[in-house]
Amino acid sequence: MPIPEDVTGDEIDKDVRQELLSLPKTLADDVARNLVMVARLLDEDPEGAYAYSRVALRLASRVAAVREAAGFAAYASQKYGEALAEFRAAKRMTGNIDLWPVMADCERGLGRPEKALDMAGAPEVHKLDKAGQVEMRLVVAGARRDMGQLDAAIVTLQSPELAANSVQPWTARLRYAYADALLAAGRESEAREWFAKAVEADREGSTDASDRLAELDGVEFMDAMVEDEDHEDDVASASASPEPVEDESDTDESDENDKVEDDKNEDDKNEDDKD
């Protein structure tokens, strides 16, 4: 896989760089550059990120950071079986339980919401930090919805973190999930309120809460670029229109008048000859 020249590998997190010190320097640099590409493409081009992660995995499969990056690339590409395998490998190598919520979400992706709920009751959950616990709550609510338990999903999301006025990294996503669950349950007015609250907290634009809110309000947006293109097409069409065609009836009438005038002039000439 080609890597842009501006990618040096120095862009990676220092903890990941520390892990790569177990490799020969040239190999470590190659792995680092591929990991940079994974991080760069993960959101906008998941398949591209996945391709770079496979290269890094081939070069350094015994590095936990590489297995974790490969897991997230597979997860973003909806390859949930592969993602789960990579996350499990990373967890075995490090003993870190931070990946527990995303592992549970992989179970959902594989069509096993019951397994995700089982993981939510495991001892590992109690070792998660606040962000991890919120993630686990989101996964559990999603699993409940997968099983058609809409009311249970709503109750699951009702938490001190949801009610808090302070904005945390997870606040927008938590409010968004709650609004979406309310809407799925037919509670539209409440859903609108929480989509609005999600918009207030979504400083990074990580959700489409503003679009969902506008949709509920019946607001339609016109794409400015499309509008400009339509205007240009109208102008081009007008300039390409043919010149107006002279009405045939007007031409015939003009010819007839000319003929009558010629006949009159001929009669006048004959009268002069007689004189």
Side-chain angles (χ1 to χ4, degrees):
M1 295 285 295
I3 297 177
E5 293 182 1
D6 66 316
V7 175
T8 65
D10 294 333
E11 301 89 341
I12 63 172
D13 184 85
K14 63 180 182 179
D15 292 334
V16 177
R17 171 62 72 178
Q18 187 69 29
E19 283 192 59
L20 296 179
L21 290 178
S22 61
L23 303 173
K25 186 179 186 311
T26 302
L27 179 59
D29 289 343
D30 287 343
V31 173
R33 295 179 72 211
N34 278 281
L35 292 181
V36 170
M37 293 305 298
V38 173
R40 179 177 291 188
L41 299 176
L42 193 61
D43 292 332
E44 296 182 0
D45 182 10
E47 290 296 334
Y50 176 77
Y52 282 105
S53 76
R54 301 311 292 180
V55 175
L57 194 60
R58 187 171 65 250
L59 295 174
S61 62
R62 295 186 179 183
V63 176
V66 172
R67 304 302 291 265
E68 184 175 326
F72 277 110
Y75 178 79
S77 301
Q78 300 183 2
K79 298 176 175 64
Y80 298 114
E82 286 186 38
L84 186 57
E86 298 302 338
F87 290 142
R88 284 173 175 167
K91 181 177 177 295
R92 283 196 302 270
M93 291 176 178
T94 63
N96 194 332
I97 47 83
D98 291 347
L99 295 172
W100 197 254
V102 71
M103 290 168 64
D105 205 41
C106 285
E107 295 288 0
R108 284 187 59 217
L110 291 169
R112 302 193 293 247
E114 298 88 351
K115 179 63 176 176
L117 293 180
D118 289 343
M119 292 180 68
E124 284 84 351
V125 175
H126 301 294
K127 300 176 184 178
L128 295 170
D129 60 12
K130 179 62 70 176
Q133 290 176 5
V134 171
E135 285 299 323
M136 199 71 229
R137 189 178 293 276
L138 289 167
V139 173
V140 170
R144 292 295 185 189
R145 289 188 62 174
D146 294 342
M147 299 168 68
Q149 301 172 3
L150 295 179
D151 290 338
I154 291 171
V155 172
T156 297
L157 295 169
Q158 292 171 343
S159 62
E161 294 80 17
L162 179 68
N165 291 324
S166 62
V167 174
Q168 302 295 334
W170 59 77
T171 302
R173 292 177 56 241
L174 185 58
R175 292 178 179 179
Y176 182 94
Y178 188 58
D180 196 41
L182 289 168
L183 188 61
R187 295 161 62 173
E188 186 172 315
S189 60
E190 293 174 83
R192 190 204 174 283
E193 176 188 351
W194 282 96
F195 275 127
K197 290 182 178 181
V199 171
E200 292 175 2
D202 196 1
R203 297 167 181 170
E204 303 297 326
S206 60
T207 73
D208 64 346
S210 59
D211 293 338
R212 300 292 299 277
L213 182 61
E215 183 180 344
L216 285 174
D217 289 341
V219 177
E220 294 184 5
F221 295 100
M222 175 68 72
D223 190 318
M225 292 183 66
V226 172
E227 189 174 4
D228 288 344
E229 289 175 1
D230 290 343
H231 176 69
E232 290 175 1
D233 290 343
D234 291 342
V235 171
S237 177
S239 62
S241 297
E243 293 294 326
V245 177
E246 186 178 2
D247 192 322
E248 291 184 1
S249 61
D250 292 341
T251 303
D252 292 344
E253 183 177 350
S254 175
D255 291 345
E256 182 66 27
N257 291 337
D258 290 343
K259 183 176 183 303
V260 170
E261 185 66 26
D262 290 342
D263 290 344
K264 183 176 183 301
N265 291 338
E266 183 65 27
D267 290 341
D268 291 341
K269 181 182 179 182
N270 292 337
E271 288 295 329
D272 292 338
D273 292 342
K274 288 179 182 180
D275 292 339

